[in-house]
């Protein structure tokens, strides 16, 4: 009932919401799995009107929220993309990972945005965490958008931090390279070794994706 009351009043007050408030409201709906399409549509319209005031984290978290709820608000996502491309040098690693995942999860093959994300990811390579590396690799593979310099850079970074990879990171990374048919023995060896260390933590999907990847690349 609380979220229903918040949603009802928020619709009336959206013109007064600043970018951070709009982002927080969308993020809360996504985190709680509340797919209130009329409210999300209204948030999207308000966000488009204020998009020039959205910072990188606002842009990425808003995209993540709509993608998590599988609400493809195309005017909003188009505005997010245009703004993000122009400000990509301001994006930190988490914003890169969340934005790429959001567009890929919705099947939006936005090449200017994704190429900008690739370039910034390479620049920030040493600051990418396991989840960001995985999200970015998975996004490009999911959209069948091959970018050889990016995949080579991600492989290098992943090999240096493989001990931090969890089961889903391992399986999705292996899957991503297999989708492109990239045989990278040093990377695959380290994925295999790390997987053997934590194999008891793998879900059924992790097991299936990892097995498929190694079989495809064998």
């Amino acid at each position: 009932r609380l979220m229903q009351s918040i949603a009802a009043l928020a619709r009336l007050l959206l013109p007064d919401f600043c970018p951070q408030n709009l982002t927080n409201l969308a993020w809360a709906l996504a985190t709680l799995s509340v797919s209130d399409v009329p409210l999300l549509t209204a948030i999207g319209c308000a966000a488009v009107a204020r998009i020039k005031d959205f910072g990188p984290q606002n842009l990425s978290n808003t995209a993540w929220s709509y993608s998590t709820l599988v609400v493809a608000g195309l005017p909003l996502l188009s505005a997010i993309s245009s703004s993000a491309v122009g400000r990509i040098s301001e994006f930190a690693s988490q914003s890169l990972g969340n934005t790429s995942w959001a567009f890929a999860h919705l099947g939006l093959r936005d090449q200017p945005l994704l190429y900008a994300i690739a370039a910034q990811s390479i620049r920030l390579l040493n600051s990418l965490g396991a989840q960001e590396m995985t999200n970015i690799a998975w996004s490009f593979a999911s959209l069948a958008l091959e970018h050889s310099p990016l995949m080579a850079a991600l492989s290098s970074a992943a090999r240096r931090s493989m001990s931090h990879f969890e089961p889903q990171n391992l399986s999705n990374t292996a899957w991503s390279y297999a989708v492109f048919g990239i045989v990278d023995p040093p990377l695959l060896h380290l994925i295999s070794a790390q997987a053997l260390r934590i194999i008891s933590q793998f879900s059924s999907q992790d097991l299936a994706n990892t097995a498929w990847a190694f079989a495809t690349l064998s």
Side-chain angles (χ1 to χ4, degrees), residues 95-107:
S95 295
L96 294 169
N98 284 348
T99 305
S100 63
W101 178 88
F103 277 74
H105 187 240
L106 290 173

Side-chain angles (χ1 to χ4, degrees), residues 3 11 35 44 127 153 157 186 210-211 218:
M3 285 303 296
R11 288 191 194 97
S35 188
S127 68
T210 306
S218 64

Side-chain angles (χ1 to χ4, degrees), residues 155 159 162 173-175 177-178 182-194 213-214 217-218:
S155 170
R159 296 197 305 270
M162 190 58 65
T173 299
W175 178 88
Y177 282 78
I182 300 173
V183 179
D184 186 330
L187 175 64
L188 294 173
H189 173 75
L190 289 174
I191 288 175
S192 174
Q194 177 67 356
F214 276 78
L217 293 173
S218 64

Side-chain angles (χ1 to χ4, degrees), residues 18-176:
C18 68
Q20 190 61 54
N21 291 340
L22 292 169
T23 301
N24 286 351
L25 182 55
W27 181 88
L29 293 172
T31 300
L32 295 171
S33 300
V34 178
S35 188
D36 186 331
V37 175
L39 177 56
L40 288 164
T41 300
I43 292 171
C45 290
V48 169
R50 297 167 175 75
I51 202 71
K52 64 180 177 57
D53 299 319
F54 273 55
Q57 191 171 34
N58 300 131
L59 295 168
S60 65
N61 284 358
T62 301
W64 177 89
S65 300
Y66 279 72
S67 185
T68 296
L69 292 170
V70 197
V71 177
L74 295 181
L76 172 60
L77 290 168
S78 177
I80 288 173
S81 172
S82 296
S83 183
V85 169
R87 304 183 63 176
I88 200 69
S89 64
E90 301 172 37
F91 273 57
S93 56
Q94 186 174 12
S95 295
L96 294 169
N98 284 348
T99 305
S100 63
W101 178 88
F103 277 74
H105 187 240
L106 290 173
L108 299 176
R109 202 171 189 264
D110 188 323
Q111 291 192 28
L113 173 61
L114 289 161
Y115 286 147
I117 287 173
Q120 179 68 350
S121 297
I122 293 171
R123 283 192 289 268
L124 297 183
L125 194 62
N126 292 332
S127 68
L128 295 178
Q131 192 59 52
E132 288 85 40
M133 289 183 237
T134 303
N135 282 354
I136 294 166
W138 178 89
S139 298
F140 278 75
S142 178
L143 294 170
L145 186 61
E146 189 163 4
H147 191 297
S148 298
L150 173 66
M151 299 305 286
L154 290 175
S155 170
S156 175
R159 296 197 305 270
R160 291 196 299 270
S161 57
M162 190 58 65
S163 62
H164 299 294
F165 275 53
E166 301 292 336
Q168 190 175 47
N169 303 134
L170 295 168
S171 63
N172 283 359
T173 299
W175 178 88
S176 300

